[in-house]
């Protein structure tokens, strides 16, 4: 157990699996009291049990962040109540990734993706910032994506939502920084859970050939960046998008 987030409280949305789970576990390992949140109570309970078994503090809050302001405000209210009135860190991680091509995207799909990926974190952030400011400050970490800047086929809808979140990161840093609330983002690249030994290479490996890292990343890589942004070590960091992508977007990729 570390102490970089000792005595801090945190809410991580969409943290019942993958990147969100890794962030919640990493926060708890650094001393934070973490609220694991998501739609699946069974998976959330398993994450909480694992954190507690490792000596950390965690609770689960079921939430379906459908984009309505009411759902976001409800989660914010329950989070503050569970944490005794103070929330120090919010990680806007929850998201959906249907990836139809533009010509095959219907209005219902468009609205759902924007509701979950943009509207929900927008109203959740609005709901938690006043309390953070009142208690002396806080940190908000958004999840962007490498495909917000490096396009892939059939990624227009999803990548546009992540571009919106990276833009909101900078806008919110300007808006909330004077209130003591830092806002930054992590932009993951091709991130996969570790594959079983002897398993076939994942198609994502092809996308990472020729990059400095030479292969895909794991959720822990994103979690380490999130811990730093949430900690006092990043106290002078505002409006920054930290690329955790193995060099995929920042370095010329030369195919072998």
């Amino acid at each position: 157990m570390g102490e970089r987030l000792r005595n801090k409280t945190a809410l991580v949305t969409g943290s019942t699996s993958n990147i969100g789970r890794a962030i919640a576990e990493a926060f708890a390992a650094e001393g934070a009291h973490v609220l694991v949140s998501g739609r699946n109570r069974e998976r959330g309970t398993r994450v909480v049990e694992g954190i507690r078994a490792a000596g950390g503090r965690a609770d689960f809050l079921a939430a379906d962040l459908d984009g309505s302001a009411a759902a976001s405000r409800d989660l914010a209210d329950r989070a503050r109540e569970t944490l005794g009135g103070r929330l120090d860190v919010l990680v806007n991680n929850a998201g959906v990734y249907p990836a139809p091509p533009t010509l095959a995207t219907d209005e219902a799909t468009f609205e759902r993706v924007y509701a979950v990926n943009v509207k929900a974190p927008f109203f959740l952030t609005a709901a938690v910032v006043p309390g953070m400011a009142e208690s002396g400050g806080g940190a908000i970490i958004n999840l962007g994506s490498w495909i917000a800047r490096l396009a892939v086929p059939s990624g227009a809808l999803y990548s546009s939502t992540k571009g919106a979140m990276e833009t909101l990161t900078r806008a919110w840093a300007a808006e909330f920084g004077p209130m003591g609330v830092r806002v930054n983002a992590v932009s993951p690249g091709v991130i996969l859970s570790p594959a079983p030994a002897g398993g076939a290479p994942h198609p994502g490996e092809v996308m990472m050939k020729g990059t400095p890292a030479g292969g895909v990343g794991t959720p822990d890589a994103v979690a380490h960046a999130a811990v730093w942004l949430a900690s006092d070590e990043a106290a002078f960091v505002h409006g920054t998008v930290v690329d955790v992508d193995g060099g995929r977007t920042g370095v010329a990729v030369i195919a072998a």
Side-chain angles (χ1 to χ4, degrees):
M1 297 288 289
E3 296 192 343
R4 296 163 76 188
L5 302 180
R6 182 182 180 185
N7 297 326
K8 291 186 182 293
T9 58
L11 168 63
V12 184
T13 68
S15 48
T16 61
S17 64
N18 203 23
I19 290 174
R21 175 174 183 166
I23 292 173
E25 292 172 343
F27 277 18
E30 290 292 340
H33 182 175
V34 180
L35 295 184
V36 174
S37 179
R39 291 176 295 180
N40 190 306
R41 183 175 294 276
E42 182 179 350
R43 291 193 308 187
T45 299
R46 286 200 298 268
V47 176
V48 167
E49 290 174 348
I51 288 173
R52 291 176 177 175
R57 294 178 297 163
D59 293 285
F60 175 70
L61 292 180
D64 183 2
L65 296 176
D66 58 5
S68 67
S72 291
R73 284 195 296 263
D74 176 68
L75 177 57
D77 290 343
R78 288 186 289 130
R80 281 190 292 264
E81 181 180 357
T82 304
L83 295 170
R86 194 184 92 246
L87 176 63
D88 299 310
V89 183
L90 167 65
V91 180
N92 285 313
N93 170 74
V96 292
Y97 183 59
T102 298
L103 301 185
T105 300
D106 58 34
E107 187 174 5
T109 299
F110 183 97
E111 291 182 349
R112 176 172 176 262
V113 175
Y114 263 84
V116 176
N117 292 9
V118 182
K119 286 182 66 180
F122 184 96
F123 287 114
L124 182 56
T125 297
V128 305
V129 163
M132 285 182 172
E134 185 177 345
S135 63
I140 295 172
I141 302 168
N142 297 320
L143 267 289
S145 174
W146 67 285
I147 65 171
R149 280 162 287 153
L150 190 63
V152 297
S154 299
L157 179 59
Y158 176 80
S159 64
S160 69
T161 66
K162 289 305 179 179
M165 290 309 299
E166 293 190 9
T167 297
L168 284 171
T169 296
R170 293 182 285 271
W172 283 339
E175 184 176 359
F176 303 139
M179 301 166 63
V181 179
R182 294 187 300 107
V183 186
N184 293 287
V186 179
S187 177
V190 182
I191 303 294
L192 300 169
S193 298
H202 190 278
E205 294 281 358
V206 176
M207 303 178 76
M208 293 300 293
K209 285 186 176 180
T211 64
V216 301
T218 65
D220 286 344
V222 182
H224 294 320
V227 166
W228 174 67
L229 287 173
S231 74
D232 292 339
E233 294 171 1
F236 201 56
V237 181
H238 293 257
T240 293
V241 178
V242 178
D243 292 325
V244 184
D245 62 4
R248 187 67 178 82
T249 57
V251 178
V253 176
I254 309 300

